[in-house]
Amino acid sequence: MVEQANIEKILSEYDRSKGAYETFVRKVEHLVAELISNASYKPHSITSRAKERSSLQTKLQKENSNYKSLADITDVAGVRVTTYFHDEVDRIAEILGKEFEILPEHSVDKRAALDPDQFGYLSLHYVVRLSPARRSLPEYRRFEKLLCEIQIRSILQHAWRKLNMILATKLR
């Protein structure tokens, strides 16, 4: 767990940066929507959020957390793409992989965690930053150090995740 003094430091850094993350995640959501539309795909939904302070605090207080600064947290900005069909996940991932710099050390393909005959939470999570070309543009330059987690999953997987969250809450 992160020491309390460091938690306060990170939360203070978050308070100063929240507006930038909110603007950044809206721009990334818009960019993702444009890229997908230009490739003639129509996903079920594209949503975004900047992590709420309370959620960040909870994350920092978890036993296994060891964050030193806000920059170590890869999901302060988050975009979710929900597709109609499972096979669209890989196609959209390919499109985004050409337009963003993917950080493989922070990204995870949760689809690989289950055997092919099992069903469960199967989502692709990319941690990205803007591509070098895009970071050089004046309208994106101020976001050059910010990261965003992009989750891509099918509507069936989205429903599965929601159902599990509801059941977990009721069983407590």
Side-chain angles (χ1 to χ4, degrees):
M1 185 169 87
V2 180
E3 293 180 17
Q4 188 59 38
N6 205 33
I7 289 174
E8 294 304 321
K9 178 183 142 267
I10 293 170
L11 290 174
S12 178
E13 189 178 355
Y14 169 83
D15 291 338
R16 290 188 308 273
S17 305
K18 187 171 190 231
Y21 275 101
E22 289 171 339
T23 303
F24 173 60
V25 78
R26 282 192 307 271
K27 284 191 172 273
V28 171
E29 178 186 4
H30 179 74
L31 179 58
V32 166
E34 271 191 73
L35 293 168
I36 292 171
S37 175
N38 288 345
S40 299
Y41 287 104
K42 293 185 183 192
H44 172 267
S45 65
I46 300 174
T47 59
S48 67
R49 61 96 184 115
K51 189 176 278 297
E52 292 295 324
R53 189 182 204 277
S54 60
S55 178
L56 177 60
Q57 186 169 4
T58 299
K59 182 179 187 110
L60 293 170
Q61 291 172 333
K62 286 185 178 176
E63 245 182 73
N64 61 345
S65 69
N66 59 354
Y67 303 104
K68 306 287 185 249
S69 72
L70 189 62
D72 293 337
I73 302 167
T74 60
D75 68 343
V76 176
V79 172
R80 178 173 296 135
V81 178
T82 305
T83 66
Y84 284 105
F85 302 104
H86 178 71
D87 63 336
E88 293 173 327
V89 171
D90 287 325
R91 292 182 195 141
I92 289 172
E94 186 179 331
I95 293 164
L96 299 181
K98 292 176 183 174
E99 298 295 331
F100 289 92
E101 183 180 331
I102 297 171
L103 305 177
E105 67 275 16
H106 298 293
S107 300
V108 61
D109 187 348
K110 295 188 178 204
R111 301 171 303 169
L114 295 177
D115 290 331
D117 62 340
Q118 291 181 307
F119 188 79
Y121 179 59
L122 305 173
S123 184
L124 179 59
H125 294 214
Y126 276 161
V127 174
V128 304
R129 70 169 44 105
L130 297 171
S131 67
R134 199 166 306 277
R135 288 192 311 254
S136 71
L137 298 172
E139 64 269 28
Y140 289 103
R141 199 169 292 137
R142 65 184 166 138
F143 306 119
E144 68 182 338
K145 293 183 180 177
L146 300 185
L147 302 177
C148 182
E149 181 181 71
I150 301 176
Q151 297 178 3
I152 312 166
R153 60 180 164 211
S154 71
I155 195 167
L156 184 59
Q157 291 305 322
H158 184 67
W160 174 261
R161 175 77 169 158
K162 289 288 187 188
L163 177 62
N164 279 331
M165 290 170 68
I166 290 168
L167 290 174
T169 301
K170 291 193 184 264
L171 293 176
R172 286 186 200 165

